[in-house]
């Protein structure tokens, strides 16, 4: 299923790992409020679309997406 926009309320989370979970769609723009995230692992999911411009990508952040 899709990545829930509601997860954006988890503003203090720093690490997310959802590899190989059959997640679909794209990264929700609402995730831009998750400013403490340092790593997001989404590899091996059938995701589509682009990383939203609003998503903060601070220096040192790792976004791992392999489709």
């Amino acid at each position: 299923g899709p990545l829930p926009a509601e997860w954006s309320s988890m503003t203090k989370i720093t690490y997310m790992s959802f590899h190989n979970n059959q997640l679909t769609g794209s990264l929700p723009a609402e995730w831009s409020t998750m400013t403490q995230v340092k790593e997001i692992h989404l590899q091996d999911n059938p995701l589509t679309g682009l990383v939203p411009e609003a998503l903060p990508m601070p220096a040192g952040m790792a976004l791992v997406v392999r489709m």
Side-chain angles (χ1 to χ4, degrees), residues 37-59:
V37 173
K38 302 295 182 214
E39 291 186 54
I40 302 175
H41 292 260
L42 296 166
Q43 64 268 32
D44 299 320
N45 287 288
L47 297 171
T48 58
L50 303 172
V51 175
E53 286 185 33
L55 190 69
M57 295 290 288

Side-chain angles (χ1 to χ4, degrees), residues 29 31-37 40 51-59 61:
W31 283 18
S32 64
T33 60
M34 301 169 76
T35 58
Q36 299 300 309
V37 173
I40 302 175
V51 175
E53 286 185 33
L55 190 69
M57 295 290 288
M61 179 181 178

Side-chain angles (χ1 to χ4, degrees), residues 4 11 13 17-23 25 27-28 32-33 36 41-42 46 56 59 61 63 65-66:
T11 57
I13 198 161
S17 180
F18 304 109
H19 63 277
N20 199 23
N21 279 291
Q22 297 302 310
L23 297 171
L27 297 177
S32 64
T33 60
Q36 299 300 309
H41 292 260
L42 296 166
M61 179 181 178
L63 177 62
V65 181
R66 182 177 64 233

Side-chain angles (χ1 to χ4, degrees), residues 2-14:
L3 292 163
E6 296 81 13
W7 289 354
S8 63
S9 64
M10 299 186 293
T11 57
K12 299 203 184 287
I13 198 161
T14 59

